[in-house]
């Protein structure tokens, strides 16, 4: 656990182990990391937008709940991004299987549930 955290801040230390992977794979890993960071930033921006610009919804505190969930989810996505980048980089250096993750599926389900909650809130407001 803490060895993984150390790699977040000191990836050079990992270069002493294993072999240097093809640069194309390292750069692809970095592009994937940046895509996850963009997703995290978009979720945080969405949370701030909900808190500031969404009118009060018919369900008490629903706007604030949505905003907080989006902000927390954005933070979790950013942390997960750096952890996955580090584990993937380590696996490529050591020639082991790339780490598997259920996080994309979990994130998709959470986003879909959030969208469903918003649809219900809009329908309650309309009828």
């Amino acid at each position: 656990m803490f060895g993984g955290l150390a790699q977040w801040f000191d990836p050079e230390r990992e270069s002493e182990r294993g072999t240097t992977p093809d640069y194309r794979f390292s750069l692809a890993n970095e592009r994937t990391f940046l895509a996850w960071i963009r997703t995290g930033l978009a979720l945080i921006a969405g949370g701030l937008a909900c808190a500031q610009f969404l009118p009060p919804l018919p369900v008490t505190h629903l706007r604030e709940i949505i905003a907080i969930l989006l902000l927390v989810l954005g933070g979790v996505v950013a942390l997960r991004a750096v952890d996955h980048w580090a584990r993937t980089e380590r696996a490529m250096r050591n020639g082991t299987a790339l780490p598997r993750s259920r996080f994309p599926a979990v994130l998709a389900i959470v986003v879909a549930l959030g969208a469903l909650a918003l649809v219900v809130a809009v329908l309650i407001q309309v009828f």
Side-chain angles (χ1 to χ4, degrees):
M1 172 73 182
F2 294 111
L5 282 177
Q7 189 187 8
W8 289 12
F9 300 103
D10 189 16
E12 290 294 322
R13 192 172 73 179
E14 196 65 31
S15 65
E16 299 168 358
R17 298 181 196 143
T19 58
T20 302
D22 188 335
Y23 290 109
R24 293 174 293 178
F25 298 134
S26 290
L27 294 174
N29 188 29
E30 191 170 309
R31 283 192 300 273
T32 303
F33 165 74
L34 293 173
W36 279 109
I37 290 295
R38 283 192 300 272
T39 302
L41 288 172
L43 289 167
I44 290 170
L48 289 175
C50 283
Q52 293 298 314
F53 304 116
L54 200 62
L57 296 173
V59 179
T60 308
H61 299 298
L62 181 59
R63 178 180 65 176
E64 290 80 10
I65 291 170
I66 291 170
I68 290 171
L69 287 176
L70 287 172
L71 292 169
V72 169
L73 192 58
V76 169
V77 166
L79 289 174
R80 187 265 178 200
V82 70
D83 181 59
H84 190 75
W85 170 81
R87 289 185 300 129
T88 301
E89 195 70 23
R90 186 177 325 121
M92 288 190 305
R93 293 200 66 80
N94 294 330
T96 59
L98 294 179
R100 294 182 178 187
S101 176
R102 294 185 178 111
F103 188 77
V106 172
L107 179 63
I109 290 171
V110 169
V111 170
L113 290 175
L116 183 63
L118 285 175
V119 167
V120 170
V122 169
L123 289 175
I124 289 173
Q125 196 168 15
V126 170
F127 297 108

